[in-house]
Amino acid sequence: VETPKNLELAFQSFIQEHQKSYADFAEYEMRKGIFDKNLKIINEHNAKGKSWQMGMNHFGDLTDEEFNKMLGLKGRAKPIRSG
């Protein structure tokens, strides 16, 4: 279970590792929330013991819509990175 402090530390590490910057505190908080959601998806998948593991990367602060748009995927019913 991620505590607010652990989440903050993980997000700060993500920002530093991927050299992220945000326009203001509101965007920072929004991106942290997206990061948290994506981290939970990753942790839930990895806890299932499947034959492959997910990991955090530089897309971790993007919504499914932003990620799919970046890849040029329009109108997909299901996000490409959903488990």
Side-chain angles (χ1 to χ4, degrees), residues 17-78:
E17 180 179 349
H18 299 292
Q19 300 177 351
K20 298 283 187 166
S21 62
Y22 304 109
D24 54 30
F25 186 71
E27 182 183 9
Y28 174 91
E29 287 295 309
M30 179 189 80
R31 296 293 171 191
K32 183 170 70 173
I34 296 165
F35 173 85
D36 184 35
K37 176 184 170 250
N38 290 331
L39 189 59
K40 286 176 182 171
I41 290 168
I42 291 167
N43 290 337
E44 287 171 10
H45 168 83
N46 291 346
K48 293 177 183 176
K50 294 193 176 194
S51 62
W52 60 279
Q53 297 284 295
M54 295 175 81
M56 185 58 71
N57 62 28
H58 59 286
F59 301 123
D61 63 347
L62 299 180
T63 65
D64 289 333
E65 284 181 6
E66 290 170 325
F67 182 75
N68 288 338
K69 184 176 180 183
M70 183 197 65
L71 294 178
L73 303 173
K74 297 178 183 174
R76 286 182 63 97
K78 187 174 182 182

